[in-house]
Amino acid sequence: MAINWFKYAAPINFYPLAGKLIPWFAILSALLCATGLYLGFVVAPADATQGEFYRIIFIHVPSSILSMFLYMIMAAYAAMGLIFNTRLSSMMATAIAPTGALFTFIALWTGALWGKPMWGAWWVWDARLTSELILLFLYLGFISLHASIDDPRRADRAAALLAIVGSVNVPIIYFSVKWWNTLHQGSTIKFTGTSMQITMQQAMFTMLAACWLYAMAIALTRVRSIILERERNTQWVAELAEVKQ
Amino acid sequence: MKTLFYLLMLVVRRDLILAMRRRADVLTTLIFFVMVVSLFPLGVGPETDMLRKMAPGVLWVAALLSSMLSLGRLFSADYLDGTLEQMLLVPQPLSMLVLGKIASHWMVSGLPLVLLTPVLGLQFDMSIAAIGMLMLTLLLGTPILSMVGAIGAALTLGLRGGGVLLSLLVLPLCIPVLIFGTGAVQAVVSGMNVSAHLSLMGALLVLALVFTPWVTAQALRISME
């Protein structure tokens, strides 16, 4: 039996699929978030050196991981849209961008909240902070370029090119800023084992999964709206139960 | 090969002539550069020590901003009178034409900044060695600004509010150039080795030279379809 790999690349098929997936992602995300926060704020012990302040990492680390991860995913979808000319990929890229920007903002904000008691300053010009800020600028550039072009197809393609150029530039920016100044503590989780207590680690990974599922649920919700907006003149949208009402 | 080089020279010559016919446009960018640099001492105070320390950063940031100002003109005149459409139809690769336009744009808006630097450097009481290094880094860096900026200029072609949007898109991408450019000058001032900074800037220049004309050509095709 031949599998049609591209079945869900058509908005007409993807729209109901996304509608079915969203509740699952949303419920799972809420459950994991509750578990993660309970583990992180109640079960996990206080840190030896940072006391209770370290608990911000249960929000800070997942959101900063996702802020970078989502940029990659967004750029990948945008590139797919540009190369294969698939409408849905570009819509996905557009749908992911605001969530990515939100996580970048949360990462910066929680970092500032942590920085005040630990470093004695809300903001320091450290490599990771600065590159995270630049990442936020890149997200905003993508969103505003897309928003200022009226023709959606041209907007998709122009924004896609920008996302690709940005993703090529991200490592260059990261290393240039790193050589410029470094104060942020190094990664605790490395591929060669970790120096972290096991409950803390479990709480953090649970929160990471929760944030990831949230990002998927919200991106799919947004892409459904984008599909409706762009395909509003088609027959299948007119026949949808929620449109008919 | 020979025809490609001929084409490149043709575009450079044409754009230089056009720029010379509209000298005011070129001069405004330069005046803007001088003005922004001169505003800093008025804003932060006249202490020579502090100004000397700030000078490389101030000049670099001013160069970045003034190159953003002139980028809007890179394709817009050709876009408005239809020349750009003709350029898309030429049998020769579009990236070569784009490279020619970028080169002449740099000669008109980047090179004068480099030449103005010594005067402004003296205003900030910089040492001769530091001024020399600043000129060298600007010489290496301003072409990168023009090339990266060309991508943004092509993407925002014909959009309302294109100028501000252009800065929003291009400035974050120019940060590495700013860091290495000012870093080299600070290294000279503190007596350290500058070869690392200069090598990195050279690498960025080569990287930009290889990729940006092609990416800009793609962006132009997207904007013009």
Side-chain angles (χ1 to χ4, degrees):
Chain A
M1 190 186 92
I3 306 169
N4 183 5
W5 294 103
F6 300 106
K7 186 183 176 205
Y8 288 108
I12 182 171
N13 295 324
F14 188 76
Y15 181 84
L17 176 73
K20 274 184 212 123
L21 288 176
I22 289 166
W24 290 101
F25 287 145
I27 293 166
L28 261 175
S29 167
L31 288 177
L32 283 176
C33 185
T35 323
L37 287 179
Y38 176 74
L39 278 178
F41 284 90
V42 181
V43 181
D47 188 72
T49 52
Q50 304 185 358
E52 303 289 342
F53 290 120
Y54 88 94
R55 291 186 199 274
I56 197 87
I57 63 159
F58 298 122
I59 303 195
H60 177 71
V61 175
S63 53
S64 45
I65 290 177
L66 272 172
S67 68
M68 291 176 255
F69 181 66
L70 286 178
Y71 192 87
M72 268 164 49
I73 300 290
M74 182 189 85
Y77 269 123
M80 259 156 58
L82 192 64
I83 295 164
F84 302 116
N85 218 359
T86 43
R87 279 172 303 158
L88 190 63
S89 318
S90 309
M91 292 183 202
M92 278 303 284
T94 324
I96 290 170
T99 310
L102 176 74
F103 275 120
T104 320
F105 183 75
I106 293 175
L108 284 169
W109 191 264
T110 52
L113 289 179
W114 180 84
K116 186 61 185 167
M118 299 318 296
W119 293 335
W122 295 107
W123 181 265
V124 287
W125 289 98
D126 153 74
R128 291 203 193 182
L129 274 80
T130 315
S131 39
E132 191 75 8
L133 183 67
I134 297 166
L135 187 66
L136 182 64
F137 292 156
L138 290 177
Y139 272 120
L140 295 180
F142 180 90
I143 295 170
S144 44
L145 179 66
H146 200 285
S148 61
I149 303 178
D150 292 328
D151 173 22
R153 294 298 294 146
R154 186 190 154 186
D156 282 344
R157 293 158 64 85
L161 199 67
L162 183 73
I164 294 167
V165 172
S167 61
V168 171
N169 231 293
V170 162
I172 301 179
I173 293 174
Y174 178 70
F175 281 106
S176 64
V177 178
K178 188 175 177 179
W179 291 327
W180 172 62
N181 193 358
T182 288
L183 186 73
H184 197 288
Q185 64 179 35
S187 300
T188 313
I189 299 168
K190 298 185 181 74
F191 288 110
T192 52
T194 163
S195 59
M196 208 181 201
Q197 208 252 349
I198 196 77
T199 331
M200 295 184 192
Q201 213 180 54
Q202 283 165 350
M204 208 171 77
F205 282 123
T206 315
M207 282 307 289
L208 179 62
C211 290
W212 189 38
L213 287 164
Y214 162 80
M216 287 207 278
I218 216 79
L220 288 178
T221 312
R222 206 174 282 124
V223 87
R224 265 164 69 95
S225 317
I226 297 173
I227 290 175
L228 283 185
E229 192 191 338
R230 297 238 190 127
E231 310 270 299
R232 61 183 176 276
N233 296 325
T234 56
Q235 185 67 34
W236 71 268
V237 167
E239 282 167 7
L240 282 173
E242 58 261 45
V243 177
K244 269 184 176 169
Q245 289 171 8
Chain B
M1 188 62 215
K2 204 177 168 189
T3 50
L4 272 188
F5 187 72
Y6 175 72
L7 182 79
L8 189 70
M9 286 300 123
L10 201 70
V11 177
V12 171
R13 214 176 86 88
R14 170 183 173 272
D15 275 25
L16 284 180
I17 292 174
L18 280 176
M20 281 307 113
R21 296 276 154 81
R22 267 180 261 150
R23 268 177 234 124
D25 286 1
V26 179
L27 281 175
T28 15
T29 324
L30 288 181
I31 295 168
F32 176 81
F33 177 63
V34 175
M35 215 178 260
V36 169
V37 172
S38 315
L39 283 178
F40 271 88
L42 298 174
V44 299
E47 291 85 6
T48 323
D49 279 345
M50 190 174 60
L51 288 182
R52 200 183 301 127
K53 222 178 259 171
M54 280 173 43
V58 169
L59 267 98
W60 254 102
V61 171
L64 251 176
L65 294 178
S66 57
S67 81
M68 289 304 117
L69 268 190
S70 57
L71 275 172
R73 285 199 309 273
L74 185 53
F75 298 112
S76 64
D78 286 348
Y79 172 68
L80 289 176
D81 67 10
T83 318
L84 201 58
E85 226 158 311
Q86 302 299 319
M87 283 182 174
L88 295 193
L89 299 174
V90 236
Q92 282 84 11
L94 179 61
S95 30
M96 213 60 191
L97 288 163
V98 167
L99 185 63
K101 288 191 77 65
I102 295 172
S104 61
H105 175 264
W106 174 73
M107 282 179 221
V108 170
S109 66
L111 194 58
L113 301 188
V114 181
L115 299 176
L116 268 175
T117 303
V119 185
L120 296 169
L122 288 176
Q123 272 192 327
F124 280 73
D125 196 36
M126 289 172 76
S127 67
I128 300 297
I131 292 180
M133 185 46 67
L134 184 58
M135 284 181 75
L136 185 61
T137 57
L138 279 171
L139 197 63
L140 284 172
T142 42
I144 309 179
L145 301 185
S146 292
M147 285 189 273
V148 175
I151 301 175
L155 285 176
T156 56
L157 200 59
L159 299 183
R160 62 200 132 72
V164 186
L165 187 61
L166 175 66
S167 319
L168 193 63
L169 304 185
V170 175
L171 284 176
L173 302 178
C174 291
I175 287 167
V177 190
L178 175 72
I179 289 174
F180 296 130
T182 50
V185 185
Q186 266 145 18
V188 162
V189 172
S190 51
M192 287 187 321
N193 194 351
V194 291
S195 56
H197 287 100
L198 291 181
S199 312
L200 281 165
M201 284 200 82
L204 288 180
L205 179 63
V206 173
L207 206 66
L209 198 61
V210 172
F211 288 109
T212 53
W214 183 75
V215 177
T216 311
Q218 296 305 315
L220 280 177
R221 287 195 197 284
I222 290 171
S223 295
M224 295 293 292
E225 69 189 14

